[in-house]
Amino acid sequence: MPEARVAGDGQTVLDTAWAQIPRSREATSGIGTFTRSRVERIISIATASGSVIIGTQAFLIALGSTQERAEWHVPLMVVVFGTLALMLLACAIGRAVRIASGVFALVYVGALAAWPVATAGVVPESLDEPWIWFLVNLATLAAVLAFPLPLQIAWTVLAPLLFYFVRLVQGGFAPDFWIAVGLDVSFAVILGGVLLALGWMLRSVAANVDETRARAVTSYTRAAAEDAAEQERVAVAALMHDSVLAALIAAERATTPRERALAATMAREALTRLANTEQDSHEGTDEPRDAVELAGDIEAAAAELGAAVDVHREIAADSKPLPGRVARALALATTQAVANALQHAGGAGLGIAVVADEGRVRVEVHDAGEGFDMAAIPDDRLGIRASIVARIAAVGGVADIETGPHGTIVRLTWKPVLPA
């Protein structure tokens, strides 16, 4: 017996996920900064944590400092530590971080520039670094938070070098200061470079993750849209064939009272489904229906087509209910198979069976007609392709059709997709 087999690809997960994809530009405008925003938050919290320790150390040293002139000591402390406190507060609460950090970075450089004036006439008692030195790498961190990469590099290098120069000015360019301060400055430049590299690396990784995620979401959205369009096309094609074209063809060919009654029934169904198209985009509700109810629906639909056939039932006691749309798809596809058997085989040997066990449901429609050649069906004939095969595939089922000179068997099988 020649055999033609068409299988669906399994129930797609896009049905559920599609509803969760943002549709508007406004809803997706921030999707490319998901990871970057969190990395920025991590950097700001880490900066605040380290700055509290170093800033406290510098503040305690500044309280007893005698390296500045009396009239400069308090104003410098207020300006420098005040802006540092604002930066720490902004990092802690996660608001205005760039502004507060940029202000501190600028204020610190300004304080360094003013240091020779603030210490004019005061001879350093030792080579110990003043309190302002302990904040030089905090200025680098502030630049990392506030400025673009070129300015970050400039602050990392120029802030220590500026301190080197003003410290030499304060020490009168004495030879002892050249080496001692130079070693400290080289350490500050290296440490600042490490901090700068860490910030750049974290941001680069975050940007790559966000870019990849944005591309994935865009691709997923496109695939979901194509899937939704395909499902809608299948539903519309099935509706047109099942309800409209089939009713018109049946009415044109009706010559006997039985055929006229069948055409009238099909016309009523066509009008009903066309009227409910907007409210019935998924061909019915998704209220669960068990296999017994499915068999009853199929038997009633066959009776409306004029086929007085009893549905054979093999339903296990522990069979699980079906999703409503699956039951509806099985019922409609079975109805189409019955209509085909009535129209093309005259209903000879027509039989229907519903088998349900272990979570799987199988519906079988068979007749004793002459069969047909699947490959010879024109592309514009949708009775099998759209109303049976595509409809069952759309809910994750499989349509298996065997046809030959001794009849045709249509098997519709569905089983739930188990989570991986």
Side-chain angles (χ1 to χ4, degrees), residues 64 101 118 176 182 186 193 222 247 251 253 307 316 326 368 379 381 388 391 412:
S101 300
D176 293 342
S186 62
R222 187 182 301 114
R253 297 178 178 178
V326 173
D379 292 339
R381 298 298 297 274
I388 297 178
R391 171 174 279 145
L412 311 176

Side-chain angles (χ1 to χ4, degrees), residues 13-103:
V13 298
L14 294 179
D15 292 340
T16 302
W18 168 244
Q20 302 175 9
I21 293 293
R23 302 298 203 279
S24 66
R25 179 180 298 272
E26 291 77 7
T28 58
S29 60
I31 203 167
T33 60
F34 180 85
T35 307
R36 176 65 181 267
S37 62
R38 281 150 183 79
V39 166
E40 292 293 340
R41 183 65 180 144
I42 292 172
I43 293 175
S44 63
I45 292 175
T47 297
S49 301
S51 298
V52 167
I53 299 173
I54 298 175
T56 301
Q57 179 186 6
F59 181 75
L60 294 177
I61 295 174
L63 289 177
S65 175
T66 58
Q67 296 199 32
E68 313 98 276
R69 293 159 55 183
E71 64 271 19
W72 280 89
H73 179 65
V74 174
L76 276 178
M77 286 188 60
V78 170
V79 172
V80 174
F81 288 105
T83 53
L84 175 60
L86 288 177
M87 184 184 80
L88 296 179
L89 179 62
C91 290
I93 65 176
R95 290 181 173 272
V97 174
R98 296 186 63 185
I99 296 175
S101 300
V103 170

Side-chain angles (χ1 to χ4, degrees), residues 143-316:
V144 170
L145 289 174
F147 302 145
L149 185 60
L151 286 180
Q152 295 175 28
I153 297 174
W155 246 255
T156 300
V157 176
L158 295 181
L161 291 181
L162 179 59
F163 174 81
Y164 188 35
F165 175 75
V166 300
R167 183 61 171 160
L168 291 179
V169 171
Q170 181 185 6
F173 293 94
D176 293 342
F177 280 87
W178 285 89
I179 298 176
V181 179
L183 291 175
D184 289 339
V185 167
S186 62
F187 173 78
V189 172
I190 294 173
L191 179 57
V194 172
L195 296 175
L196 173 63
L198 286 175
W200 174 82
M201 181 183 66
L202 289 174
R203 285 169 171 163
S204 297
V205 171
N208 289 335
V209 170
D210 284 331
E211 182 180 356
T212 302
R213 179 176 179 270
R215 286 200 302 266
V217 170
T218 300
S219 176
Y220 182 85
T221 304
R222 187 182 301 114
E226 292 174 357
D227 179 79
E230 177 64 16
Q231 290 195 27
E232 183 176 358
R233 185 195 67 78
V234 170
V236 171
L239 171 62
M240 291 299 296
H241 179 273
D242 293 355
S243 301
V244 180
L245 296 180
L248 293 175
I249 292 173
E252 179 186 10
R253 297 178 178 178
T255 57
T256 66
R258 179 175 178 276
E259 291 175 342
R260 293 189 187 96
L262 173 62
T265 300
M266 295 174 68
R268 285 196 299 271
E269 181 185 356
L271 292 174
T272 301
R273 294 191 64 191
L274 285 173
N276 294 331
T277 299
E278 291 296 328
Q279 294 79 22
D280 198 29
S281 59
H282 290 288
E283 296 187 324
T285 68
D286 210 30
E287 290 293 326
R289 295 184 68 79
D290 57 34
V292 175
E293 293 175 313
L294 171 62
D297 293 340
I298 292 173
E299 199 169 80
E304 289 185 2
L305 294 176
V309 57
D310 293 329
V311 175
H312 176 70
R313 297 167 171 84
E314 294 182 19
I315 302 173

Side-chain angles (χ1 to χ4, degrees), residues 72 76-77 79-80 104-118 131-132 162 166:
W72 280 89
L76 276 178
M77 286 188 60
V79 172
V80 174
F104 172 71
L106 293 172
V107 166
Y108 181 79
V109 170
L112 281 181
W115 191 256
V117 179
W131 60 267
I132 200 169
L162 179 59
V166 300

